Amino acid sequence: MNYGQFLQMIPEAFLVLALILVFCFDFKIAKAKVKGYTLYFLTVALLLVGTGICLMAEPAEAFGGLYVATPMANVMKTILAMGTLIVVIMAQPWVQAAAMKLEGEFYMLVISTLLGMFIMISSGNFLMFFLGLETASVPMACLVAFDRKKKQSAEAAAKYILTATFSSGVMLYGISLIYAAAGTLYFDDIATVLAAINPFSDQMLLPVAGLVFFFSGLGFKLSLVPFHFWTADTYQGAPTPVTGYLSVVSKGAAALAAFIILTKVFGPLVEQWEVMLGIIIMLTITVGNLFAIRQSELKRFMAFSSISQAGYIMLAALGGSQMGATALTYYVLVYVVANMAVFTVISVVEQNNGGRTDMDAYNGFYTTNPKLSFLMTLALFSLAGIPPFAGMFSKFFVFMSAVGGHEANPFWSYLVVFIALINTVVSLYYYLLIVKAMYIKKTTTPLPTFQSDANTKLALALCTAGIVAFGVVSCIYDWIAAAAV
């Protein structure tokens, strides 16, 4: 083996180095009073450098095609590293207050999960992809159970890991069927074999069955209906910073990986999977929206919102075009900043209001904390797709990619987009329920006035700047589009 090929995996190699540095530093200063802040600044610095490395990374291939870093994969890595940086910043008050002297462990788990996601989206082989998926999933389960004083956290982790184990088994079964049909696990080779098979012959049954089982396992990671049952309980029980991390960063990695595999590996089966994907998208958006309306607990509310958003993200994969890859990546970028802004506000309110996360706690929020209410409103408007915020542009590009890259069966794509458009109106209604609580509803016991710490202000400033700038600074979309080409 030529170990020099590891130099082609610069983003992943740097994360391994970052993991070792955080571990050694945590071990060295275990008894120091400045431990948390020192590790915090070290982790933030490492993630900043990692984001820069992903931004400047060149396309590369290593180990005979096991590892393939395309320009689009490098763009998504940059977005995921940026999202992880925001999570670390917004989680710092909680880590210092409630992490029970496990700051180093928290940062190591976050970096380990990010490493797994990087491997997922740079895989050129199903075995490599599965290893990346498990590298991301196992530390995430530890993060969900991180708050040892809360029974809900342990319960959420148990549901997450049990469902993840079952979905991994289903995915492995699908991969075994694909291997039986193609005799290889390499993406390019599988696509070549499938293209040579008569689509109406019995030989196509095995790869189609493999596709169904594989996508069922991946649907768990994306919280697609009907693989979404774990989402609400896990989001509610997990610590709020972990919930934010789970809702945005892992979803972005899984979405791009699903797009790459559907278009690159199963491109010859597009007539088979386009109907399956369209049905799942319509169910995911509709079920997510309808159940979100009925929620009174804000983290469960955001769980069903994230289920609906997953449907919109996968809508870009329906066309299977370069425009779809651009729209998907841009949507993830906008979704990261908008959703993290909401979870940052939820986290700071939870810490200053006795751990409450129910929606009634936000009644009259504007009267005592107008700035946080305003920033929360901007983020919710972006998630709903209201102009002129970035969320409106991301939804527009997703809709255009779904209908523009689908010349073979335009009626089906227009039907799916029509259902998604109707659901956009529904989502506007339930996002406005929170705005109504903050600005219109009255209460005799509103939230107390409190001062946010510097880390919360920084996280909100970064997210708000993204919500506003990503919709009007066209060079960002051009950068993503150039990578898709």
Side-chain angles (χ1 to χ4, degrees):
M1 179 186 291
N2 180 10
Y3 290 99
Q5 294 185 81
F6 283 108
L7 296 176
Q8 303 296 322
M9 306 170 62
I10 297 298
E12 290 78 11
F14 178 79
L15 284 184
V16 173
L17 175 62
L19 189 61
I20 294 173
L21 287 175
V22 172
F23 173 78
C24 293
F25 213 79
D26 182 47
F27 182 77
K28 180 69 175 177
I29 61 170
K31 297 181 179 180
K33 294 182 179 179
V34 295
K35 172 185 174 182
Y37 289 103
T38 307
L39 283 175
Y40 167 67
F41 289 125
L42 175 63
T43 307
V44 168
L46 290 171
L47 288 174
L48 278 173
V49 175
T51 304
I53 289 174
C54 296
L55 187 62
M56 297 183 292
E58 297 291 334
E61 184 175 329
F63 302 106
L66 277 174
Y67 175 87
V68 181
T70 62
M72 183 55 73
N74 290 331
V75 169
M76 183 58 79
K77 289 177 185 177
T78 304
I79 296 171
L80 297 181
M82 180 196 71
T84 305
L85 176 63
I86 295 174
V87 169
V88 169
I89 293 172
M90 67 87 72
Q92 177 61 15
W94 169 78
V95 168
Q96 288 295 319
M100 297 146 294
K101 299 181 180 180
L102 296 175
E103 297 91 345
E105 287 79 355
F106 177 79
Y107 299 133
M108 284 185 277
L109 289 171
V110 168
I111 295 173
S112 300
T113 305
L114 184 62
L115 174 63
M117 295 173 193
F118 278 18
I119 296 173
M120 280 174 58
I121 59 181
S122 289
S123 299
N125 181 289
F126 273 113
L127 181 59
M128 186 79 165
F129 171 82
F130 185 77
L131 290 175
L133 180 67
E134 293 304 297
T135 303
S137 298
V138 175
M140 185 63 76
C142 298
L143 287 172
V144 172
F146 204 77
D147 196 341
R148 297 176 297 175
K149 294 183 178 180
K150 287 178 60 178
K151 292 183 179 179
Q152 281 187 324
S153 185
E155 179 186 351
K159 292 179 179 178
Y160 178 84
I161 198 65
L162 287 173
T163 313
T165 303
F166 178 76
S167 66
S168 296
V170 172
M171 180 182 290
L172 272 179
Y173 182 63
I175 292 174
S176 68
L177 294 179
I178 295 168
Y179 180 76
T184 179
L185 292 176
Y186 286 90
F187 292 170
D188 292 335
D189 295 340
I190 293 173
T192 302
V193 172
L194 295 181
I197 300 176
N198 185 341
F200 301 103
S201 68
D202 293 340
Q203 291 179 303
M204 192 58 76
L205 294 177
L206 203 57
V208 169
L211 166 63
V212 172
F213 282 108
F214 172 80
F215 191 79
S216 298
L218 193 57
F220 156 81
K221 196 71 177 175
L222 283 162
S223 303
L224 298 175
V225 174
F227 317 108
H228 67 290
F229 294 103
W230 62 275
T231 311
D233 291 337
T234 300
Y235 278 37
Q236 182 181 5
T240 301
V242 175
T243 304
Y245 187 54
L246 184 62
S247 70
V248 293
V249 180
S250 63
K251 199 172 261 68
L256 183 62
F259 180 90
I260 292 172
I261 292 173
L262 286 175
T263 56
K264 186 175 182 178
V265 181
F266 297 109
L269 303 180
V270 63
E271 294 184 359
Q272 283 79 12
W273 61 255
E274 66 179 3
V275 177
M276 173 191 71
L277 183 60
I279 293 173
I280 290 176
I281 287 171
M282 290 187 290
L283 287 175
T284 300
I285 296 175
T286 304
V287 171
N289 283 343
L290 293 180
F291 276 82
I293 294 175
R294 299 176 56 85
Q295 303 306 311
S296 58
E297 209 279 338
L298 202 51
K299 289 167 72 174
R300 293 184 70 89
F301 172 91
M302 292 304 298
F304 286 105
S305 166
S306 97
I307 292 171
S308 175
Q309 296 289 347
Y312 285 108
I313 292 173
M314 291 310 299
L315 189 61
L318 195 61
S321 61
Q322 291 181 359
M323 185 189 302
T326 305
L328 184 148
T329 307
Y330 180 75
Y331 197 104
V332 171
L333 173 64
V334 174
Y335 179 63
V336 165
V337 292
N339 221 45
M340 284 311 304
V342 174
F343 276 106
T344 301
V345 175
I346 294 174
S347 180
V348 70
V349 169
E350 181 182 17
Q351 294 169 36
N352 289 276
N353 196 36
R356 289 184 61 184
T357 57
D358 57 290
M359 201 176 298
D360 288 340
Y362 290 78
N363 291 346
F365 189 43
Y366 177 77
T367 59
T368 56
N369 296 273
K371 293 180 181 179
L372 286 177
S373 300
F374 178 70
L375 296 179
M376 180 82 148
T377 303
L378 293 184
L380 293 171
F381 281 177
S382 182
L383 289 173
I386 297 176
F389 305 109
M392 187 274 290
F393 296 97
S394 64
K395 279 189 168 59
F396 172 78
F397 290 132
V398 163
F399 293 151
M400 290 298 297
S401 67
V403 298
H406 207 71
E407 299 177 358
N409 191 1
F411 173 77
W412 179 246
S413 60
Y414 277 107
L415 175 63
V416 177
V417 170
F418 177 71
I419 299 298
L421 281 169
I422 294 176
N423 275 279
T424 302
V425 180
V426 178
S427 68
L428 175 60
Y429 167 74
Y430 66 72
Y431 284 127
L432 286 176
L433 290 177
I434 304 177
V435 179
K436 176 184 176 182
M438 292 189 298
Y439 287 89
I440 298 176
K441 282 191 175 181
K442 304 297 182 182
T443 179
T444 56
T445 56
L447 281 168
T449 302
F450 53 82
Q451 186 72 23
S452 301
D453 64 284
N455 294 297
T456 299
K457 291 179 180 178
L458 177 57
L460 286 173
L462 292 173
C463 293
T464 306
I467 292 169
V468 176
F470 292 160
V472 295
V473 181
S474 60
C475 63
I476 296 174
Y477 183 84
D478 294 338
W479 166 58
I480 298 174
V485 174

